[in-house]
Structure formats: structure tokens, C-alpha cells
């Protein structure tokens, strides 16, 4: 195998005008408008060497830089629409910029909007606000279709990465651009419900931190998948089939008119109320407003991290988990024991030690320790992390949007799980900045609740549930439900950001 086949640096010098135009032109053999995004299906008429695929594609691949980290993305519509991973942007307060190392001068764009985030898959749609025409990649398919229709097992693939930090690259005399990695499709259908629904494509090309959201390219230069996760300390990684990104675009709700917004608000509220009726925490979390969850995180998780660390509560809690890990008498982690430990964190004694009695609920305290404890145990048990490394993983998880949403749900699930409700009315307040909606529902016995909703990430999310009258509180008092959030146990899986 030649050095070029193993890895090839792609810099701005190599991207001539002909190659850039070729990358755009060859991807337009067939196109389709999906919710305002025009995607092109690349032709299969010609195969290219890995280096040529990298050269022809580099101009369309961007580095997405947020206040929390960086990932990658790729342009699918020359009007500035990009695909990336949900986890690259969902935990960030804002996107600082998108940088294109494969374009002459390494241009940066700071006007970047999160247009839509897939509620199920690890996918997101971004839009760069620019008058410039950006080179777009052709997709292997523009239809919802099985991955085997456009990918063959053992087929060669190319993945590009940004090996240097963008700030470091700015200080260099010559920007090193992107590095190409070659490999092959190893498995067409890999399932891992801890990461997301549906199947993933396994590839042997090197995948590491910072490559999330980048494209997996076939020998025709078409995108066959979106890089999303890898096993810790194992070669290769996994990608979401590109047909799933097409599905996301196809399912993205139309919310142009007030009538569209009202109908969608009612539909989302029905989903939320149905999840309350079944006590489905995962479904409720999916529908919970990200900005509201961050508000909860700011006034709850920050306090609990500080208090539990200062007063040695967290240290003792994690030390007890270390003892469980050291005493491995069974193949699975002792979750029942962990849950018993978590229950104790809501006791009067621990609440007094933390100094949060009357300001933070017992349920919130227990939810916090469950999230940090279950993640710490998983990192120690499955990933063989050391204590310090496992703690960093656990704290990172506690500050994630998933945990923030779980914390935001604690009181709602405790009071309303099992409630059966009927929608009475939907009121929408249109706004160019942040549209809002209020859905009023009857929960029986003459009680009513108001479901407050915000428009975020291209859809309606629930920000708060309020009791309208005393009858609503009484109607909810006889319900049963567990306030303990479902823990996220990833084991040795590392979402790449």
C-alpha cells in the first residue's frame, strides 16, 4: 500500500478551481428538495483514488467550533446547509464559527444557526448565513432506503480530519489543512441502543476525537455516512447511514405559518402528555426545552457539584462505588446497591450536610447522584477507567443536556406521572425571535394544567408545566410514578466530539 493510500494531507494549495468546481458539478446529477434543503445524489459513473476523493471533497468539509469543543460537518446544499452530529452542538451555548480548512485562505463563518436537531438520531442541520456559494457534497442516496442499496461490505472509504487545533493552525506559516484516512466498510448493520436507534455502518478507517459529524466517503466521492461514535481503545468507528440524514430532512416539520405552528404545538403536547401518562422519562426528556434544562442546570447542578465536593459528600459516595468495583463477584455492576446508595443521598442527614434543605428538592439531589454515580460506575466497570479519568467522564455527563433534561423533569414526573389528560386549547404567540405556545389540558376531577412551550432547534419543546388551579393539584396527588431518571450507561462507548 502506498503512502498516499494510507494517508494524504489535503491543503488549500491542492484545491484548484477545477477541482472545486468538479466537486460541486459532479454531485448534481440528481437533486431533491427536502424541506427547503436541496440535496444532490452523486453519480457512480466513475471511481477515484483515495487521494483524489479527498482533494475533491475537502472544500465542503467544515470544522464546527462551539464554546464547548469542536467537531466536523459537511455542506449538503450550496446555500449553506450543513449536516453534523447532534452531540457536537446540543450541549453548547453557541456556535463560535465554522472553519473550512480545505478552501483557499481557510475562511471562517460566525453567523451559524442550528436549524434543526433530530429528536432520535445523533444528527443536526446547521445553516451558515452567507452570500457566498459553498461547494456541496453529493450523497450516496437522496431517498429513504436500506444501507445495502448504496454501500457494499468491504468497500473502500475515505474520512478526513483536522489534526491540529484551529487556534494553533492560525499561528503556523502554512496551514496543514485536512488529513485523509483510508479504510473499508467492515459491517453494514451494527446496533447499539445506548448510542441511538437504527443501525450503524462500521468502518476500519481511523476515527478519533474531533471527527464527529464528518462525512464517510466512498470511492465515487459520495457521502455514505456521518461519523458518530467509536469504541474506546479500538480501531475504526461507526457512522450513521446517510439515508438517515435524508430521513431527518424529510421529517423536519414545516412551521412557516401560524397554522402550522399551532398544529405542531398540539401534536408535540399530545406526545408529552402521553409520555406523562406512561411515566416515560426518556420520551419526556426528548421533548423538554433545552434552554429550560440549561436554566435548571445552572441553579441546581452547579450548586450540588460545589456543595458535595466542598463537604466531602461526593468523595465518600464515589469511594463506596470504588469498593463495589474492586469487589467484582458478578459480571454485571451492582445497580441495586447503587440505587440504595442514591436513595440515602435524599436523607435528612445528607441534605443537611449539603446545606440545600428547603432550596433543592430531595428528588433533585437523588437524581444528581444517580446520574453522576451510574456514569462513574460504568466508566470504572466497563471502560476500566482510573478514578480521576472516570470522575472527569462522570462530571462531563452531569453537565450534559441529557442530565439537565432529567433534572428538569424530576418534580414533573413525581407529581404528574400516570395522569390522563385531554387538550382543551392551544394558544400560539408568534415571534421572529422566540415563538411561544401554551397548551391547556384537562387532567380530570376538574383540574387543568398549562403546558408552556418554546420554539427551539426548529421544533416545539416543553419548558414548564403549571397547575392552573387547586383542583389540578388534587387531581395529580393520587398519581404514582418514580422520579428517578433513567441513567445513561454508555460503557466503553465514546461519542466523538
Amino acid at each position: 500500500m502506498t503512502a498516499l493510500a494510507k494517508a494524504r494531507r489535503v491543503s488549500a494549495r491542492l484545491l484548484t478551481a477545477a477541482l472545486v468546481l468538479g466537486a460541486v458539478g459532479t454531485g448534481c446529477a440528481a437533486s431533491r428538495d427536502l424541506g427547503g434543503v436541496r440535496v444532490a445524489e452523486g453519480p457512480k459513473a466513475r471511481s477515484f483514488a483515495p487521494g483524489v476523493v479527498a482533494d475533491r471533497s475537502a472544500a465542503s468539509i467544515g470544522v464546527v467550533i462551539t464554546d464547548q469543543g469542536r467537531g466536523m460537518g459537511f455542506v449538503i446544499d450550496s446555500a449553506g446547509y450543513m449536516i453534523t452530529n447532534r452531540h457536537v452542538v446540543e450541549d453548547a451555548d453557541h456556535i463560535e464559527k465554522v472553519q473550512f480548512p480545505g478552501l483557499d485562505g481557510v475562511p471562517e463563518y460566525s453567523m451559524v444557526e442550528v436549524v434543526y436537531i433530530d429528536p432520535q438520531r445523533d444528527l443536526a442541520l446547521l445553516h451558515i448565513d452567507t452570500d457566498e456559494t459553498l461547494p456541496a457534497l453529493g450523497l450516496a442516496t437522496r431517498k429513504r432506503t436500506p444501507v445495502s442499496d448504496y454501500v457494499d461490505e468491504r468497500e473502500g472509504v475515505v474520512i478526513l480530519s483536522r489534526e491540529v487545533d484551529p487556534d494553533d493552525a492560525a499561528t503556523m506559516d502554512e496551514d496543514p489543512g485536512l488529513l485523509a484516512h483510508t479504510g473499508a466498510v467492515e459491517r453494514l448493520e451494527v446496533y447499539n441502543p445506548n448510542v441511538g436507534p437504527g443501525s450503524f455502518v462500521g468502518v476500519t478507517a481511523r476515527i478519533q476525537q474531533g471527527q464527529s459529524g464528518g462525512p464517510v466517503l466512498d470511492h465515487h466521492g459520495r457521502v455514505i455516512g456521518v461519523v458518530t461514535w467509536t469504541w474506546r481503545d479500538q480501531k475504526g468507528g461507526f457512522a450513521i447511514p446517510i439515508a438517515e440524514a435524508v430521513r431527518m430532512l424529510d421529517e423536519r416539520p414545516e412551521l412557516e405559518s401560524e397554522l402550522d405552528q399551532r398544529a405542531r404545538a398540539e401534536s408535540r403536547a399530545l406526545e408529552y402528555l402521553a409520555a406523562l401518562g406512561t411515566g416515560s422519562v426518556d420520551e419526556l426528556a426528548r421533548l423538554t426545552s433545552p434552554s429550560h434544562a440549561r436554566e435548571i442546570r445552572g441553579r441546581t447542578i452547579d450548586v450540588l457539584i460545589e456543595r458535595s465536593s466542598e463537604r466531602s459528600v461526593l468523595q465518600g459516595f464515589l469511594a463506596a462505588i470504588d469498593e463495589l468495583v474492586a469487589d467484582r463477584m458478578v459480571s454485571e455492576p451492582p445497580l441495586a446497591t447503587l440505587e440504595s446508595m442514591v436513595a440515602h443521598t435524599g436523607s435528612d442527614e445528607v441534605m443537611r450536610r449539603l446545606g440545600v434543605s428547603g432550596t433543592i428538592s430531595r428528588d433533585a439531589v437523588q437524581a444528581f447522584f444517580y446520574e453522576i454515580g451510574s456514569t462513574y460506575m460504568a466508566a470504572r466497570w466497563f471502560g476500566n477507567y482510573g478514578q480521576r479519568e472516570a470522575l472527569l467522564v462522570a462530571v462531563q455527563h452531569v453537565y450534559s443536556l441529557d442530565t439537565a433534561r432529567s433534572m428538569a423533569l424530576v418534580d414533573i414526573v413525581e407529581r404528574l406521572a400516570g395522569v390522563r389528560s385531554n387538550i382543551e386549547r392551544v394558544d400560539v404567540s408568534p415571534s421572529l425571535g422566540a415563538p411561544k405556545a401554551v397548551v391547556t389540558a384537562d387532567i380530570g376531577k376538574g383540574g387543568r394544567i398549562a403546558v408552556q412551550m418554546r420554539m427551539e432547534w426548529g421544533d416545539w419543546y416543553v419548558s414548564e408545566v403549571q397547575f392552573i388551579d387547586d383542583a389540578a393539584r388534587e387531581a395529580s396527588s393520587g398519581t404514582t410514578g418514580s422520579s428517578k431518571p433513567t441513567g445513561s450507561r454508555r460503557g466503553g462507548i465514546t461519542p466523538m466530539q
Side-chain angles (χ1 to χ4, degrees), residues 94-341:
H94 63 276
I95 297 174
E96 294 181 353
K97 58 189 173 183
V98 175
Q99 182 188 79
F100 286 87
L103 283 174
D104 190 20
V106 192
E108 298 177 350
Y109 300 90
S110 58
M111 299 293 288
V112 185
E113 177 190 6
V114 179
V115 177
Y116 185 65
I117 284 192
D118 193 303
Q120 299 286 352
R121 311 166 192 89
D122 189 15
L123 293 169
L125 177 68
L126 310 182
H127 182 250
I128 298 173
D129 187 3
T130 176
D131 293 331
E132 300 173 21
T133 298
L134 298 175
L137 290 176
L139 310 185
T141 182
R142 54 190 173 89
K143 303 175 183 176
R144 299 184 182 189
T145 187
V147 65
S148 57
D149 285 357
Y150 56 90
V151 179
D152 294 325
E153 201 161 336
R154 306 302 177 192
E155 182 174 345
V157 296
V158 175
I159 297 175
L160 284 85
S161 66
R162 178 68 152 158
E163 295 295 296
V164 297
D165 184 89
D167 292 335
D168 293 337
T171 65
M172 298 179 179
D173 293 334
E174 182 179 335
D175 193 302
L178 299 172
L179 180 69
H181 310 275
T182 61
V185 174
E186 190 171 38
R187 288 182 286 175
L188 290 183
E189 293 187 0
V190 179
Y191 293 88
N192 190 335
N194 287 315
V195 178
S199 64
F200 298 87
V201 178
V203 297
T204 61
R206 192 188 76 171
I207 293 177
Q208 59 181 11
Q209 188 172 9
Q211 290 179 255
S212 280
V216 179
L217 304 161
D218 66 8
H219 55 93
H220 303 294
R222 309 177 308 163
V223 182
I224 64 169
V226 184
V227 174
T228 184
W229 64 278
T230 186
W231 289 105
R232 181 174 180 260
D233 299 331
Q234 289 188 21
K235 181 182 178 182
F238 300 87
I240 300 171
I242 198 60
E244 292 301 300
V246 171
R247 182 190 294 267
M248 174 187 72
L249 297 174
D250 204 21
E251 293 176 350
R252 186 163 69 101
E254 295 283 349
L255 300 172
E256 296 300 322
S257 69
E258 185 177 339
L259 185 61
D260 291 336
Q261 292 184 11
R262 185 183 303 276
R264 183 63 175 176
E266 182 172 358
S267 171
R268 296 278 280 181
L270 281 171
E271 291 180 61
Y272 191 86
L273 293 170
L276 275 177
T278 59
S280 173
V281 176
D282 289 340
E283 185 69 6
L284 290 169
R286 180 178 71 84
L287 296 164
T288 296
S289 159
S291 61
H292 175 64
R294 289 192 178 99
E295 291 168 9
I296 297 293
R297 176 173 63 192
R299 64 175 183 256
T300 302
I301 296 178
D302 286 350
V303 171
L304 289 173
I305 281 283
E306 181 180 354
R307 299 282 180 86
S308 62
S309 299
E310 284 180 351
R311 304 175 190 190
S312 302
V313 176
L314 184 59
Q315 182 180 357
F317 181 74
L318 297 180
I321 293 177
D322 286 331
E323 290 181 10
L324 295 176
V325 172
D327 185 23
R328 294 194 179 192
M329 301 299 293
V330 292
S331 59
E332 291 294 316
L335 294 179
T337 304
L338 174 64
E339 290 175 4
S340 177
M341 292 165 52

Side-chain angles (χ1 to χ4, degrees), residues 305 308 313-325 333-343 345 364-382 387 390-399 403 407 484-491:
I305 281 283
S308 62
V313 176
L314 184 59
Q315 182 180 357
F317 181 74
L318 297 180
I321 293 177
D322 286 331
E323 290 181 10
L324 295 176
V325 172
L335 294 179
T337 304
L338 174 64
E339 290 175 4
S340 177
M341 292 165 52
V342 167
T345 62
V365 171
Q366 289 176 331
F368 166 80
F369 278 99
Y370 182 83
E371 293 290 345
I372 200 168
S374 60
T375 307
Y376 182 82
M377 177 178 281
R380 296 277 283 131
W381 194 284
F382 294 108
Q387 293 175 340
L391 177 59
L392 291 175
V393 170
V395 170
Q396 182 182 29
H397 169 71
V398 166
Y399 276 102
T403 298
M407 299 291 288
K484 184 188 69 180
T486 302
S488 299
R489 199 177 67 178
R490 295 184 181 274

